[in-house]
Amino acid sequence: MSKHPDISTSFKAIFALLWPQVLMMYVICVMNVAPIWAAGKMSADVSAALGVSMQMLFLLSVINIALNSGATAVISQSIGAKKLDRAKFYVFITLLLNALFGVGVGVLAYIFSGQIFALLGLKGAALDIANELWAVLLFSLPCSFLFNSAMVVFRSFREVIFPLIITIIVCAFYLFFIFKLSFSHFFMGREYMGLAYSNLIAQGIAALLGAFALIAKGHISASFLPFAWLRLAMPKLLKTALHSGATSIVWQAGYVTLYAIVGFLPLHSNEALGGLASGHRVESFIFMVGVAFHMSASVVVGNCLGAKRVAEARRIAAILVFSGAAVMSVVAGILWWFMSDLAAFMSDDGLVQFYIVEYLKYNFLSTPFSIISTIFAGVMIGASAAHFNLLIFGLSFWVIRIPLAYALGHFVWGDATGVFVAMLISQVIQTALMLYVFYRVDWTKYALKH
């Protein structure tokens, strides 16, 4: 860490930061799609159970997302200000907090697991399967927290090759165990449990590799314990983390509510849940690239604002936002013609396939809006202005999307198509609000003061 990272905003520097993250997001996309695909080959009940379980797992990860968002802001801004000692303090705090919260959240979720699934509309065999999967999936949470925080540290220092290599290795192990455990007779009629144990093994390997890589690069040291700096270092990290965490709760809880709305639909609720879960994973093929742009934007904007280059931060943010939206819209346009093939790949059930296509149709149309919102959210995190994300996502999800999804799904269409239409409408409004904040509000003033 003695060598100061390159914080250039040249095309070469940004491309070097971006392309490994794009590849890494596609690898993660494969990891997200693989268990849903495997579940789709088993039954609609397994698809629904795993989809809801994984969505709840994402909801529990909001603390991890929050801490990592705060860490990205303060570490990248400290690097931009050429204060590497302060950056190192934030690295230590980030890893410590993620380890503590990973264990705590997992324990609490296990204690209240019965109450959690009682609220989500799963019925019969799907509910029984979800309870079994959940008990194992929760054990992977602390490992996931640590691995994700390690990747954030590397990204903040613009070291993106290490995370890419580690993610590829973890993906290879994950796929191996999915096929080894889930398509054999190892669990004697409960092959779906192979999906949960594969996730646990993969996350454990990921945490170990992430820790070894941090030690190898010198980003953590057993002899360096900056407890005296906690009082000074914590407030800014926690402020950004609080806003990002609240945004994640708003977003993930909103998706869980959408699952519940679909689960209580009068027609084909379990098949619609399977279609929603599978369609969401296919959509991530596009959305993950937006996440890569999101993460790059947060680091570059943080570097610029840390170095007091406000105009450059605005310019780079706009370039990343609109170039990312343009590229991903082209990809969505190409995939539009293969929706039926994608649905057939994800499930053998005819009704589930129908709802996958319905989901993809409206979410492919929303691609430019969802990508713009995603990258702008990264810009706001890098500027320590994540409260704008909270306000806009909260409004678009809970004031517009949820009520509209319930009305259209239960009273107008009568099936999940109404829910998917509501998602498109809310994305358009959300993007309009983001653009207003970017061009009309001074969001750069919230960065660290030096």
Side-chain angles (χ1 to χ4, degrees), residues 184-203:
S184 67
H185 299 291
F186 185 82
F187 289 97
M188 296 180 293
R190 295 164 56 246
E191 284 74 19
Y192 52 83
M193 291 304 298
L195 301 175
Y197 282 104
S198 297
N199 181 73
L200 177 61
I201 295 169
Q203 293 294 347

Side-chain angles (χ1 to χ4, degrees), residues 1-3 5 79 87-92 95 150 153-159 162 211 213-222 224:
M1 292 182 62
S2 57
K3 182 180 178 182
I79 291 171
K88 190 170 184 177
F89 304 149
Y90 282 126
V91 169
F92 176 83
L95 296 171
V153 171
F154 281 120
R155 187 186 314 124
S156 297
F157 280 88
R158 298 203 184 189
E159 297 171 355
F162 260 125
L214 285 173
I215 294 171
K217 294 294 292 186
H219 292 321
I220 55 176
S221 170
F224 185 79

Side-chain angles (χ1 to χ4, degrees), residues 5-52:
D6 175 21
I7 58 172
S8 168
T9 57
S10 66
F11 174 81
K12 180 180 179 181
I14 293 177
F15 183 73
L17 175 65
L18 185 60
W19 74 260
Q21 293 186 87
V22 170
L23 290 182
M24 185 173 73
M25 289 301 102
Y26 275 119
V27 175
I28 291 174
C29 179
V30 171
M31 293 175 65
N32 287 337
V33 169
I36 298 296
W37 171 83
K41 299 301 179 182
M42 295 177 187
S43 71
D45 286 332
V46 174
S47 290
L50 184 66
V52 171

Side-chain angles (χ1 to χ4, degrees), residues 374-446:
T374 299
I375 302 175
F376 269 134
V379 171
M380 296 303 156
I381 288 172
S384 296
H387 56 287
F388 289 118
N389 297 339
L390 174 59
L391 291 172
I392 293 171
F393 289 144
L395 176 64
S396 67
F397 222 120
W398 287 95
V399 178
I400 299 168
R401 182 178 297 191
I402 296 298
L404 196 59
Y406 185 80
L408 296 181
H410 284 259
F411 300 109
V412 179
W413 267 268
D415 66 10
T417 300
V419 177
F420 305 151
V421 172
M423 295 172 71
L424 170 60
I425 294 171
S426 67
Q427 286 283 11
V428 174
I429 297 172
Q430 179 177 286
T431 300
L433 293 173
M434 277 287 191
L435 288 170
Y436 176 83
V437 168
F438 184 77
Y439 287 108
R440 295 294 185 182
V441 178
D442 184 14
W443 46 270
T444 63
K445 68 181 180 181
Y446 298 98

Side-chain angles (χ1 to χ4, degrees), residues 306-360:
K308 302 291 184 68
R309 303 198 302 262
V310 174
E312 190 172 358
R314 288 183 173 274
R315 179 180 65 85
I316 294 300
I319 290 173
L320 288 171
V321 165
F322 294 112
S323 61
V327 170
M328 290 304 102
S329 295
V330 171
V331 174
I334 295 171
L335 292 178
W336 179 277
W337 303 101
F338 300 96
M339 288 188 293
S340 297
D341 298 316
L342 292 169
F345 175 75
M346 292 300 295
S347 177
D348 292 334
D349 187 286
L351 268 177
V352 173
Q353 290 178 16
F354 170 78
Y355 285 113
I356 292 173
V357 171
E358 287 295 287
Y359 178 93
L360 293 177

Side-chain angles (χ1 to χ4, degrees), residues 145-216:
F145 274 36
L146 283 173
F147 172 68
N148 291 335
S149 62
M151 299 303 98
V152 163
V153 171
F154 281 120
R155 187 186 314 124
S156 297
F157 280 88
R158 298 203 184 189
E159 297 171 355
V160 287
I161 300 300
F162 260 125
L164 174 60
I165 294 172
I166 292 173
T167 304
I168 291 172
I169 294 172
V170 172
C171 180
F173 276 105
Y174 192 28
L175 296 180
F176 171 78
F177 282 108
I178 283 178
F179 285 97
K180 191 70 175 177
L181 297 179
S182 302
F183 294 99
S184 67
H185 299 291
F186 185 82
F187 289 97
M188 296 180 293
R190 295 164 56 246
E191 284 74 19
Y192 52 83
M193 291 304 298
L195 301 175
Y197 282 104
S198 297
N199 181 73
L200 177 61
I201 295 169
Q203 293 294 347
I205 293 171
L208 288 173
L209 291 178
F212 287 144
L214 285 173
I215 294 171

